Amino acid sequence: MPLPKPPAQRASLLSAADFDSQSAPQRGKRPQKTRAAVEPHAPAVVELYDAAPPTGAAIAKSVPVIPAKPVVAPRKPQPETRARKPRGNGPATLFVLDTNVLMHDPTSLFRFEEHDIYLPMITLEELDGHKRGMTEVSRNARQVSRELDALAASMPTRDSSGMSEGLPLNRTGHREAGGKLFFQTNLINVTLPAGLPQGKADNQILGVVQALREQQPGRDVVLVSKDINMRIKARALALPAEDYLNDMTLEDGDLLYTGVLPLPADFWDKHGKTMESWQQGGLTYYRISGPMVPVLLINQFVYLEAPGAASLYAKVTEITGKTAVLRTLKEYTHQKNAVWGVTARNREQNFALNLLMDPDCDFITLTGTAGTGKTLMTLAAGLSQVMDDRRYTEIIVTRVTVPVGEDIGFLPGTEEEKMSPWMGALDDNLEVLSKTDGGAGEWGRAATNDLVRSKIKIKSLNFMRGRTFLNKFVIIDEAQNLTPKQMKTLITRAGPGTKIVCLGNLAQIDTPYLTEGSSGLTFAVDRFKGWPHSGHVTLARGERSRLADFASEVL
């Protein structure tokens, strides 16, 4: 491409009137703030004349030269960070935190949005008493102490006046916290009812709440505690008390994602006109578009059971825009598709075995009442893929060691020997699986048991941090007793080619301060739903025995 021609004549200079009109500020436009307004200096003036002008030359005038503005690419408008509007028009609520809230969630200081936090001095004393040890509670207490130390180090003054005025909670990088942190800096004389002893820590905290309500009558003062008895005593004294609900994944356990969706009876009438179907690999695929597509999730199971019509059992494999692809399932209810001798006895078990045998599903959660076959199906699927398919190298089984009754003390032996009393369910299911091979004889079954035992490793949760599992089939039993932090620690141990299966019954939580809404199993089910490489099934029907089924219903 040729370059443009150079100019053939000199440019004419601006006259004085034109220059004044160009430099004058225009009406209706806001003058831009330049650096010259901050640092004023004399404009650059260039004398446009020669010392000895030639004959006939025009009289040159002294004209100030306007410096050329650099060409700057237009900036994209940055979104303004607007402060979140408070919920109420009055002063922020003052929350008095109990010690168990801090030890339950170390980041609870920054979870109260624009409201303020008050810590009594007895709370700091109790934190100091729990900071020693290697338990989860001790680690949380140490983390809270570090957070408090970082907030105290950000005080503008070194005397106690900074603490009395409150420490902004967002100084350590937690922008979601818009309130302040107050410490108890002076002695509060409180008169509690005669029935409450003065020396107990819980009663001292109740006294602090009562004194704060008297000192600040125009402000809401609320006690936050995980201790049910503490909240009952507070309400008996006419003091507002609440549970710590920020870690609740769901407020109602009935709203938990089940992984199974029944289709309406008129499903084919509404979706059959625009439906496409094809067969691939012995399975049938359906591409649908209609009102059911927005409510579907990937790896969710759907079924249609109508009298007088063929039943449909399928799994959602793809969602693209307003269309979804359903794929029929492999029937594990037939003996020809038995997994290590185990067949599905009901609809949900068939769904679970389809997930457990799917190599594309890396994370699976199974929930249900006692006797629904969670451990048996998972162990059978693991043995089939380890021994027959060679997809994984070994099975790793772990669980939370929370006793139902009184603790029996220290257990002798190695790590696996210490964990063996907790793995009674594993031994029972292995005994059932070993009986499925009826033609091998007594010696054959003994040899099979030894081979199976060599492929199963029992590990403790206490030594999981820092490990990486490669091509392993990991079973986490009794996962309902895990906290969300412990669940994250376990799931992040997975390396390439590893499948993790979490089993649990949310009605049998033994860990203190954990509920159905705050359990790590509920947390994992809610966070992983819809991910293409995970699946969840809630097993509804028990298959252990008629006695166990009747007991789970009436007891």
Side-chain angles (χ1 to χ4, degrees):
M1 181 177 179
L3 296 176
K5 295 181 179 181
Q9 58 183 1
R10 295 176 60 184
S12 59
L13 299 176
L14 289 174
S15 64
D18 294 337
F19 174 75
D20 293 338
S21 63
Q22 292 289 333
S23 60
Q26 300 181 4
R27 295 182 178 180
K29 291 186 178 181
R30 188 175 60 181
Q32 295 182 353
K33 186 176 180 181
T34 59
R35 190 166 181 174
V38 182
E39 299 178 0
H41 60 277
V45 179
V46 180
E47 300 295 335
L48 300 179
Y49 65 92
D50 296 332
T55 304
I59 301 174
K61 297 181 180 180
S62 176
V63 181
V65 178
I66 304 175
K69 296 182 181 180
V71 180
V72 181
R75 289 187 177 181
K76 295 181 179 180
Q78 298 292 335
E80 298 180 359
T81 56
R82 299 181 179 178
R84 195 181 60 81
K85 295 182 180 180
R87 296 180 179 176
N89 298 326
T93 305
L94 184 62
F95 287 101
V96 182
L97 299 190
D98 195 3
T99 314
N100 48 45
V101 175
L102 298 173
M103 292 188 298
H104 173 72
D105 184 7
T107 62
S108 57
L109 289 170
F110 314 103
R111 305 295 187 186
F112 289 88
E113 299 176 345
E114 76 272 8
H115 303 291
D116 297 335
I117 306 280
Y118 189 92
L119 292 184
M121 197 58 64
I122 190 62
T123 300
L124 301 179
E125 292 289 340
E126 288 189 312
L127 278 178
D128 186 69
H130 289 87
K131 68 181 182 181
R132 298 171 184 83
M134 298 303 296
T135 61
E136 188 74 16
V137 172
S138 301
R139 281 191 287 267
N140 292 344
R142 289 192 292 268
Q143 182 176 346
V144 172
S145 300
R146 287 191 290 267
E147 295 285 356
L148 294 176
D149 180 65
L151 288 171
S154 63
M155 282 194 310
T157 58
R158 294 184 178 272
D159 53 2
S160 60
S161 61
M163 284 193 175
S164 61
E165 297 176 358
L167 305 177
L169 290 167
N170 55 5
R171 283 191 176 178
T172 56
H174 298 272
R175 297 182 180 179
E176 69 276 9
K180 292 184 178 181
L181 174 64
F182 295 90
F183 290 94
Q184 181 184 352
T185 56
N186 52 7
L187 183 62
I188 299 178
N189 293 324
V190 183
T191 303
L192 290 176
L196 295 178
Q198 300 290 334
K200 194 173 181 181
D202 291 353
N203 298 336
Q204 294 184 29
I205 296 176
L206 291 174
V208 170
V209 176
Q210 184 175 353
L212 288 175
R213 285 175 56 84
E214 296 173 357
Q215 293 176 3
Q216 305 180 23
R219 190 177 189 182
D220 292 336
V221 181
V222 181
L223 171 67
V224 181
S225 176
K226 298 292 292 183
D227 191 354
I228 299 177
N229 292 330
M230 179 103 169
R231 298 198 300 268
I232 293 175
K233 288 194 293 185
R235 289 167 185 146
L237 297 175
L239 300 176
E242 296 179 0
D243 190 7
Y244 179 68
L245 302 176
N246 191 270
D247 61 337
M248 296 281 287
T249 305
L250 294 174
E251 295 184 1
D252 189 359
D254 296 335
L255 301 177
L256 184 64
Y257 171 65
T258 61
V260 180
L261 179 66
L263 297 176
D266 57 349
F267 173 76
W268 295 118
D269 298 335
K270 292 184 177 181
H271 300 79
K273 296 180 181 179
T274 59
M275 185 186 64
E276 303 176 12
S277 63
W278 68 93
Q279 289 188 349
Q280 181 179 350
L283 301 176
T284 305
Y285 291 79
Y286 300 96
R287 186 183 300 275
I288 63 171
S289 60
M292 286 293 298
V293 175
V295 300
L296 297 178
L297 294 173
I298 295 182
N299 285 341
Q300 186 179 23
F301 293 95
V302 296
Y303 67 93
L304 177 60
E305 295 176 345
S311 301
L312 172 66
Y313 303 100
K315 184 177 74 169
V316 182
T317 59
E318 180 185 345
I319 297 177
T320 306
K322 297 182 179 180
T323 63
V325 177
L326 307 180
R327 186 186 66 191
T328 57
L329 305 178
K330 188 176 181 179
E331 287 295 335
Y332 287 101
T333 55
H334 298 295
Q335 189 63 36
K336 63 178 181 179
N337 296 327
V339 179
W340 203 260
V342 174
T343 57
R345 293 188 179 182
N346 54 51
R347 179 180 59 226
E348 285 77 16
Q349 286 188 357
N350 188 30
F351 294 162
L353 285 176
N354 274 274
L355 276 181
L356 292 169
M357 300 300 293
D358 189 356
D360 291 333
C361 283
D362 301 333
F363 181 73
I364 299 171
T365 50
L366 299 180
T367 60
T369 58
T372 51
K374 302 182 296 294
T375 308
L376 180 65
M377 289 189 301
T378 305
L379 196 57
L383 290 175
S384 176
Q385 295 175 85
V386 169
M387 307 291 291
D388 298 339
D389 301 338
R390 306 282 180 171
R391 189 175 297 158
Y392 308 103
T393 57
E394 62 182 3
I395 300 175
I396 295 178
V397 185
T398 184
R399 61 165 290 176
V400 186
T401 55
V402 179
V404 177
E406 196 70 26
D407 199 350
I408 61 175
F410 292 100
L411 299 173
T414 61
E415 179 186 359
E416 290 204 8
E417 292 174 350
K418 289 177 182 294
M419 289 294 297
S420 58
W422 301 97
M423 291 299 171
L426 176 66
D427 298 334
D428 298 339
N429 287 282
L430 284 178
E431 183 179 355
V432 174
L433 293 175
S434 63
K435 292 181 179 180
T436 57
D437 190 8
E442 194 69 28
W443 289 98
R445 283 197 296 269
T448 303
N449 290 339
D450 293 340
L451 181 60
V452 166
R453 290 282 184 178
S454 66
K455 292 294 184 180
I456 298 177
K457 298 293 188 297
I458 301 173
K459 300 296 181 183
S460 175
L461 284 176
N462 301 333
F463 310 105
M464 286 294 181
R465 194 179 297 274
R467 297 196 59 181
T468 302
F469 299 125
L470 303 175
N471 298 320
K472 301 291 193 299
F473 191 93
V474 183
I475 302 175
I476 305 175
D477 200 8
E478 304 295 334
Q480 76 275 1
N481 290 322
L482 290 170
T483 64
K485 186 177 179 181
Q486 291 173 334
M487 181 65 75
K488 179 181 178 180
T489 302
L490 288 177
I491 297 176
T492 52
R493 302 303 101 206
T498 294
K499 182 194 289 285
I500 295 182
V501 184
C502 294
L503 314 175
N505 181 12
L506 292 173
Q508 295 180 349
I509 297 178
D510 302 318
T511 304
Y513 305 133
L514 272 188
T515 60
E516 295 183 8
S518 61
S519 172
L521 182 59
T522 306
F523 179 74
V525 171
D526 187 69
R527 291 296 191 271
F528 276 92
K529 65 179 180 182
W531 188 48
H533 303 287
S534 69
H536 169 72
V537 173
T538 299
L539 302 173
R541 180 180 172 185
E543 298 290 348
R544 180 171 289 170
S545 66
R546 58 188 179 188
L547 173 60
D549 296 342
F550 184 74
S552 61
E553 293 177 2
V554 301
L555 296 181

